[in-house]
Amino acid sequence: MSLHFEVVFTCFLRDDTPDTVLDALRWHLGLSTERPTGLDPAEHTYPVLTPDPDGRLPGGDVASLRRQPRGFAAGRELYAWGLFSRNYWLDDEMSELVTILDLLASHIEEPGYGGYFREEYDAEPTILTFQNGTYGPLKL
C-alpha cells in the first residue's frame, strides 16, 4: 500500500529570476502545456506540481506563480515572484521533490521557510527551508 503526502511550496523568488526557471515552474505547475526548450526530460520527467482537479486534499490542489509587489525601497516599488503550490503526492513521487528544490534554491528572495511536506495522516510536517542557494536537510 502506498503512502500519500501533502506537498506545499510557499515562497518568493527574486524578481530577476531567469525566464528559463520561470518557464520550467509554469510547466511544472500546469500553467503551460509545452515542455520548455532546454529542460532535461531525464531530470524533469513530468509536471509534478500540476493540480489534480479530483485531488483528495481538503479544498483541493492549488498552483500559483505571479509577480507581486513586495514594498518600496529607494523610491521604487519592489517585486518578487510569489509561488504557492499544494499537491497530493504518492510516496513514489517524493524523489521529485529534489528536482523542484534544486530549481528554486538559488532564486529564493529571502532565506528561511519555503514550505513543507507531510504524510497525509501525520500531524507534524517536515519543513522545507532555503539558505545560501541551497535547501535544508530532508528526512524522507
Side-chain angles (χ1 to χ4, degrees), residues 1 7 14 18 28-31 43-44 51 58 104 114 127 130 133 138:
M1 187 167 162
V7 178
R14 291 190 314 269
H28 276 292
L29 292 162
L31 303 173
E43 184 179 352
H44 299 266
L104 300 176
I127 303 299
F130 295 100
L138 299 178

Side-chain angles (χ1 to χ4, degrees), residues 4-115:
H4 296 87
F5 291 83
E6 175 185 26
V7 178
V8 175
F9 289 97
T10 178
C11 55
F12 283 102
L13 305 175
R14 291 190 314 269
D15 195 32
D16 67 351
T17 298
D19 288 339
T20 55
V21 172
L22 295 173
D23 290 344
L25 281 172
R26 287 184 187 104
W27 180 74
H28 276 292
L29 292 162
L31 303 173
S32 171
T33 57
E34 296 288 324
R35 178 189 296 273
T37 306
L39 196 63
D40 183 359
E43 184 179 352
H44 299 266
T45 54
Y46 60 95
V48 298
L49 302 175
T50 300
D52 179 353
D54 299 318
R56 293 176 37 184
L57 292 170
D61 290 6
V62 178
S64 176
L65 177 66
R66 65 186 184 102
R67 190 168 181 252
Q68 298 177 244
R70 295 277 291 157
F72 290 89
R76 66 180 183 91
E77 194 162 19
L78 302 175
Y79 289 89
W81 288 95
L83 169 66
F84 183 76
S85 172
R86 178 178 180 243
N87 302 89
Y88 191 69
W89 289 18
L90 291 171
D91 54 0
D92 294 344
E93 298 171 310
M94 290 303 285
S95 63
E96 299 293 334
L97 198 58
V98 171
T99 302
I100 302 301
L101 291 167
D102 285 344
L103 187 64
L104 300 176
S106 60
H107 307 289
I108 296 295
E109 184 177 55
E110 296 177 16
Y113 179 79

